[in-house]
Amino acid sequence: NNFPPSSVTAPFVLYTSANAVTAQAHTDANNAYTSLAGQGVGTALGNNLSGLILNPGVYSSGAADLGASTTLTLNDPSSDKSGIFVFNVASSLVMNGSSVVTGTADPCNVYWRVGSSATLNGLSFMGTVIADTSITVSSASTVSGRLLAGAVTGTGVVTMAVGGNTIGGCS
């Protein structure tokens, strides 16, 4: 939703109707969602992610919330930044206003499996969000990663706020 003013730059392509490419993308998103769930519980974080500093690993929470004007730091101490972060969120992921997900992790190695919907209202976020239903991104948000909605249901949408967003960094 919201194209324009949001835009897609090469090499990425925006598909606005169902076709063979979008059908394959849904299959791939569903497979990734299932694979991430199969990584297990890992370290239970609780629901509040504010102020945490994490290294590569598998993490879980019932509902993940990053409070307004707070930071979640994802640090990868490896020299080649190959560490993988997996977040298995049972229900919703909410990033509140002016919050930031930052650190030395490679955004392409950060994965968020979200059982329902994700709302990204913060300033900057990193990682691939694979949500069962929907993803909403506010006008102030910059996402270094990918956003995939409807992983299981196939009917989800990614909604970007009026004014445009910047989403990229992983292909």
Side-chain angles (χ1 to χ4, degrees):
N1 289 343
N2 199 30
F3 287 92
S6 296
S7 62
V8 176
T9 58
F12 302 101
V13 176
L14 173 66
Y15 294 93
T16 58
S17 61
N19 61 29
V21 173
T22 60
Q24 184 61 53
H26 175 255
T27 298
D28 294 344
N30 185 279
N31 289 340
Y33 185 93
T34 302
S35 177
L36 291 171
Q39 300 300 309
V41 174
T43 302
L45 295 177
N47 295 342
N48 186 356
L49 304 181
S50 301
L52 296 179
I53 300 171
L54 302 173
N55 288 325
V58 176
Y59 301 95
S60 64
S61 66
D65 183 80
L66 186 58
S69 302
T70 63
T71 301
L72 168 63
T73 305
L74 306 178
N75 283 334
D76 182 354
S78 67
S79 61
D80 63 355
K81 303 302 176 207
S82 61
I84 304 293
F85 294 78
V86 173
F87 294 90
N88 278 312
V89 181
S91 61
S92 62
L93 166 63
V94 177
M95 186 181 179
N96 291 288
S98 299
S99 61
V100 175
V101 178
T102 189
T104 61
D106 179 344
C108 301
N109 292 339
V110 178
Y111 300 92
W112 300 82
R113 187 197 60 83
V114 179
S116 62
S117 61
T119 304
L120 307 179
N121 290 329
L123 297 176
S124 63
F125 180 84
M126 71 165 66
T128 297
V129 177
I130 305 173
D132 183 20
T133 54
S134 63
I135 302 170
T136 302
V137 185
S138 78
S139 62
S141 292
T142 297
V143 176
S144 296
R146 299 164 283 215
L147 304 175
L148 307 168
V152 177
T153 62
T155 59
V157 315
V158 176
T159 302
M160 297 195 282
V162 173
N165 303 100
T166 302
I167 299 174
C170 295
S171 58

